Amino acid sequence: MKWKDDMNYWLFKSEPDAFSIDDLANSANQTEHWDGIRNYQARNFLRDDVKLGDQVFIYHSSCKNVGIAGLAEVVKEGYVDHTQFDPEGKYYDPKSPQDNPRWYMVDVKLVKKFNAVLSLKDIKTMPEINEIGLVKKGHRLSIMPVQEPEFKQLLAACEAI
DNA sequence: GCCAACGTTGGC
DNA sequence: GCCAACGTTGGC
């Protein structure tokens, strides 16, 4: 991987029953828009801070094998999440003004699926990993920043499985 | 399915 | 602006 100075690192959670790393792998161009984020703090990250080329861990939550399943890259920066305006859709938000949409999304492209999931349990045993929200009590954000040193440590662990 | 920890809503 | 009630998240 090329490491750039201005690159940021993220972790996106997804319930694999709804959207898994394999779903991303099977998407057209292995690219998908990350819709359905309905939390303001996560929205702010998507709208303001997630930039082209940023690296993203894809994390499987609420499932049998909880942990980091793969790596993706941001290929489109924050834009309006159209699902908020679909009255039939799961993510419909009737209170979101058309002229000032509440919710944003980005597009991510698969970089690689790891040979196995790096489990949350294993992540918690890594002595170097102390800052990422995953290991902190009560941090439930579905879009969270990852500091570069921890990202590199986690990536190395994922690739070593 | 449980339940602790959060976030959001809405009456006042 | 407070805060109780309610809904959701997410590990276990």
Side-chain angles (χ1 to χ4, degrees):
Chain A
M1 173 182 307
K2 287 175 248 169
W3 302 99
K4 292 185 240 163
D5 289 343
D6 59 344
M7 199 181 280
N8 287 312
Y9 307 92
W10 306 93
L11 181 141
F12 289 7
K13 289 181 188 171
S14 181
E15 297 187 17
D17 289 344
F19 188 79
S20 72
I21 192 75
D22 290 320
D23 293 324
L24 182 59
N26 292 325
S27 297
N29 230 3
Q30 300 194 324
T31 300
E32 199 56 84
H33 47 268
W34 205 263
D35 62 14
I37 300 300
R38 296 293 181 268
N39 167 284
Y40 286 104
Q41 205 178 338
R43 184 283 309 272
N44 291 345
F45 285 135
L46 289 178
R47 188 188 56 190
D48 304 331
D49 299 319
V50 176
K51 297 299 179 188
L52 217 57
D54 284 0
Q55 302 293 301
V56 179
F57 284 134
I58 305 299
Y59 176 89
H60 285 173
S61 69
S62 299
C63 60
K64 238 178 187 173
N65 199 3
V66 169
I68 298 173
L71 180 67
E73 180 173 336
V74 177
V75 293
K76 183 170 179 177
E77 294 181 3
Y79 63 109
V80 173
D81 179 347
H82 55 83
T83 64
Q84 68 196 295
F85 298 126
D86 175 11
E88 307 298 318
K90 181 182 170 191
Y91 297 118
Y92 181 53
D93 182 355
K95 293 180 184 167
S96 179
Q98 287 272 353
D99 55 357
N100 184 24
R102 279 185 179 175
W103 308 116
Y104 283 71
M105 61 186 182
V106 300
D107 288 357
V108 295
K109 181 181 172 100
L110 182 72
V111 174
K112 67 167 73 168
K113 177 187 171 183
F114 300 123
N115 293 330
V117 170
L118 180 67
S119 72
L120 178 60
K121 199 175 155 215
D122 288 345
I123 293 169
K124 285 180 171 171
T125 66
M126 294 170 67
E128 314 86 353
I129 306 301
N130 301 303
E131 294 301 319
I132 190 170
L134 289 179
V135 302
K136 293 188 174 178
K137 195 177 171 185
H139 283 231
R140 306 186 317 185
L141 271 183
S142 52
I143 304 289
M144 66 176 74
V146 184
Q147 294 179 5
E148 180 170 311
E150 296 203 349
F151 183 90
K152 289 184 176 179
Q153 291 274 358
L154 289 167
L155 181 61
C158 286
E159 289 178 330
I161 296 178

